[in-house]
Amino acid sequence: MRHQVDLLATVTVLGVLEQAYFALQVIRARRQYRISPPRTTGHPEFERIFRAQVNCSEYFPIFISLLWVAGIFFHQAVAAACGLLYLYTRLRYFQGYAAAAQGR
Ligand SMILES: CCCCC/C=C\C\C=C/C=C/C=C/[C@@H]1O[C@H]1CCCC(=O)O
Ligand SMILES: N[C@@H](CCC(=O)N[C@@H](CS)C(=O)NCC(=O)O)C(=O)O
């Protein structure tokens, strides 16, 4: 049974690691700009990193749900490939947004 979902599981773990990376970037920016929770404002650099992380988090449940439903009911390899592409575009989105709001 496991080989029927191993690609989906791999993309899921990669997605979780990416989300952890985004969270760690926010934690780093909070330290750097001395912005303690619950504050979310105070420096434009922090605010962009924060918004990029929150935006990626908001779409993460939808992404994981679609990945598994598409992978099980449609085609595992195609769903996993689309998932990988999504994670790559999310990384580029995060890095672009962190650099400049126009870079989203
Ligand atoms: C599945 C991997 C999980 C990745 C997340 C790893 C650790 C998260 C857990 C606790 C992190 C606490 C960080 C707190 C930050 O130092 C706080 C920022 C406060 C800024 C300040 O007042 O100087
Ligand atoms: N969205 C989080 C992402 C990073 C994170 O998980 N930070 C931890 C350690 S500073 C936290 O407890 N944040 C408090 C919060 O989000 O209100 C944040 O803004 O801090």
Side-chain angles (χ1 to χ4, degrees), residues 4-24:
Q4 292 170 340
V5 294
D6 51 3
L7 299 176
L8 303 178
T10 303
V11 175
T12 298
V13 171
L14 280 175
V16 169
L17 290 176
E18 185 175 76
Q19 288 296 121
Y21 167 74
F22 295 158
L24 287 173

Side-chain angles (χ1 to χ4, degrees), residues 5 17 29 36 44 55 60 62 68 73 90 93 99-100 103:
V5 294
L17 290 176
S36 300
N55 186 268
F60 196 62
I62 298 172
W68 281 83
F73 289 93
R90 269 299 172 190
Y93 164 87

Side-chain angles (χ1 to χ4, degrees), residues 23 26-27 30 37 50 53:
V26 175
I27 291 170
R30 280 194 180 283
F50 173 78
Q53 184 259 337

Side-chain angles (χ1 to χ4, degrees), residues 8-95:
L8 303 178
T10 303
V11 175
T12 298
V13 171
L14 280 175
V16 169
L17 290 176
E18 185 175 76
Q19 288 296 121
Y21 167 74
F22 295 158
L24 287 173
Q25 297 308 110
V26 175
I27 291 170
R28 229 184 55 169
R30 280 194 180 283
R31 292 223 172 101
Q32 185 176 350
Y33 301 110
R34 306 197 197 297
I35 299 175
S36 300
R39 275 176 67 213
T40 57
T41 56
H43 195 290
E45 185 84 12
F46 169 80
E47 287 163 19
R48 293 197 311 274
I49 294 170
F50 173 78
R51 277 310 311 168
Q53 184 259 337
V54 172
N55 186 268
C56 292
S57 301
E58 285 167 348
Y59 284 91
F60 196 62
I62 298 172
F63 164 68
I64 293 293
S65 307
L66 267 182
L67 173 71
W68 281 83
V69 171
I72 289 170
F73 289 93
F74 170 58
H75 192 289
Q76 189 195 195
V78 173
C82 291
L84 264 187
L85 182 67
Y86 175 83
L87 292 181
Y88 175 65
T89 61
R90 269 299 172 190
L91 185 62
R92 295 198 38 178
Y93 164 87
F94 184 90
Q95 288 172 342

